[in-house]
């Protein structure tokens, strides 16, 4: 029988280390190798900064930063997934306790999704387990005090790389629109939402750096939104709900 090797992917939530599950903390403290995604070579990993205070430094775990370039070229992206999966597999197959960290939840707009596919295809002897994490929209809703959906209401979650015409069609059939990740594009959808039937009385909430010391949150109505209301930070969230 072929020996199985374990890898754990840990969802680290929106940015507050106190919002990790007990299971996630145990995995972090028992890890011998901690793998973290980052956007650029030499750039600190955001997700590692979330969990650093929880790491058992006495065990001297190895921290490995893997670059996931923020580009749209398919070949570049697929090559990075392939190379990063290989690095992770080598660490796991060496017999060490390896964890892979991701902001939010591993299966929602995460780098883990692509790594998972590569590993399952090319390294079948690696047994993968995933620890879910709290995602920013739930943290945001709790801070703002709004329900994302209730009764028969529907909601849509829109990532940063969206097609505006598609967003408009989606907005026509949803009660709540949740925009994640890239605040640089949020201002483009305000007029679009009005055209899709969201009245000025709709609840409007926007935030950036949720769960961190730099957190900023604003809540008003869609009709009160101005240019100054918007954010240009990448890690942002915007929720608009029909009133």
């Amino acid at each position: 029988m072929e020996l199985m090797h374990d890898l754990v992917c840990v969802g680290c939530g929106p940015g507050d280390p106190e919002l990790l599950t007990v299971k996630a903390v145990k995995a972090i403290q028992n890890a011998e190798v901690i793998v973290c995604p980052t956007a650029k070579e030499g750039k600190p990993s955001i997700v590692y900064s979330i969990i650093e205070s929880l790491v058992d430094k006495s065990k001297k775990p190895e921290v490995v930063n893997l670059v996931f370039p923020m580009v749209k070229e398919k070949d570049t992206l697929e090559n990075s997934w392939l190379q990063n999966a290989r690095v992770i597999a080598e660490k796991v197959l060496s017999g060490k306790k390896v964890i892979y960290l991701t902001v939010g939840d591993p299966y929602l707009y995460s780098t883990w999704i692509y790594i998972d596919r590569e590993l399952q295809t090319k390294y079948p002897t690696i047994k993968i387990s995933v620890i879910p994490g709290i995602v920013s929209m739930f943290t945001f809703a709790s801070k703002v005090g709004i329900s994302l959906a209730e009764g028969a209401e529907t909601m849509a979650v829109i990532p940063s790389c969206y097609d505006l015409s598609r967003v408009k069609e989606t907005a026509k059939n949803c009660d709540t629109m949740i925009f994640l990740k890239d605040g640089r594009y949020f201002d483009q959808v305000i007029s679009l939402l009005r055209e899709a039937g969201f009245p000025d009385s709709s609840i409007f909430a926007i935030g950036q750096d949720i769960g961190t010391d730099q957190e900023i949150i604003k809540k008003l109505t869609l009709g009160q939104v101005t240019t100054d209301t918007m954010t240009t930070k990448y890690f942002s969230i915007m929720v608009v709900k029909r009133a």
Side-chain angles (χ1 to χ4, degrees):
M1 182 180 292
E2 201 165 16
L3 182 65
M4 297 295 289
H5 300 270
D6 294 339
L7 168 66
V8 181
C9 178
V10 181
C12 296
D16 183 346
E18 292 187 346
L19 289 179
L20 270 75
T21 63
V22 173
K23 193 170 186 177
V25 173
K26 287 181 179 178
I28 291 167
Q29 293 178 338
N30 290 328
E32 294 175 303
V33 180
I34 301 174
V35 182
C36 316
T38 185
K40 292 181 181 179
E41 190 72 44
K43 184 177 181 180
S45 170
I46 291 174
V47 71
Y48 186 74
S49 70
I50 296 173
I51 63 93
E52 186 172 10
S53 63
L54 303 173
V55 175
D56 186 346
K57 302 291 176 49
S58 67
K59 294 182 179 179
K60 299 181 180 179
E62 178 186 2
V63 179
V64 179
N65 285 346
L66 296 181
V67 177
F68 288 81
M70 297 178 68
V71 297
K72 295 182 180 180
E73 291 79 12
K74 187 177 180 181
D75 290 345
T76 301
L77 290 172
E78 290 182 346
N79 184 61
S80 73
W81 303 336
L82 178 64
Q83 298 299 325
N84 289 341
R86 181 179 299 142
V87 171
I88 294 170
E90 288 174 354
K91 296 294 183 183
V92 177
L93 296 174
S94 72
K96 294 183 178 180
K97 296 177 182 178
V98 183
I99 63 172
Y100 179 90
L101 306 179
T102 182
V103 173
D105 183 85
Y107 288 117
L108 182 68
Y109 302 123
S110 164
T111 54
W112 168 251
I113 296 168
Y114 313 109
I115 293 297
D116 186 24
R117 290 172 185 162
E118 291 287 344
L119 292 173
Q120 293 204 40
T121 300
K122 298 180 175 63
Y123 304 95
T125 62
I126 293 179
K127 180 184 176 182
I128 296 170
S129 58
V130 176
I131 300 174
I134 296 173
V135 295
S136 61
M137 57 182 158
F138 299 132
T139 307
F140 185 63
S142 68
K143 288 176 177 289
V144 178
I146 60 174
S147 65
L148 297 179
E150 55 193 273
E153 291 177 348
T154 57
M155 70 177 191
V157 180
I158 311 296
S160 56
C161 48
Y162 42 66
D163 177 334
L164 291 181
S165 61
R166 188 178 178 189
V167 173
K168 186 175 181 179
E169 288 305 307
T170 301
K172 291 177 181 178
N173 300 293
C174 279
D175 300 290
T176 303
M177 298 290 286
I178 303 170
F179 298 88
L180 298 179
K181 285 194 173 184
D182 202 337
R184 296 173 296 179
Y185 298 93
F186 286 174
D187 59 343
Q188 298 180 30
V189 302
I190 299 304
S191 58
L192 179 151
L193 291 174
R194 290 177 175 134
E195 292 170 8
F198 277 75
D200 282 348
S201 58
S202 298
I203 298 171
F204 175 95
I206 192 168
Q208 65 185 47
D209 297 324
I210 303 301
T212 72
D213 293 338
Q214 290 76 45
E215 176 180 281
I216 297 175
I217 292 176
K218 300 175 185 178
K219 180 183 178 183
L220 51 162
T221 66
L222 186 60
Q224 294 173 318
V225 174
T226 65
T227 303
D228 293 336
T229 308
M230 308 311 288
T231 175
T232 58
K233 292 292 294 290
Y234 179 80
F235 282 105
S236 302
I237 181 171
M238 181 171 72
V239 175
V240 185
K241 181 174 182 177
R242 295 180 192 273

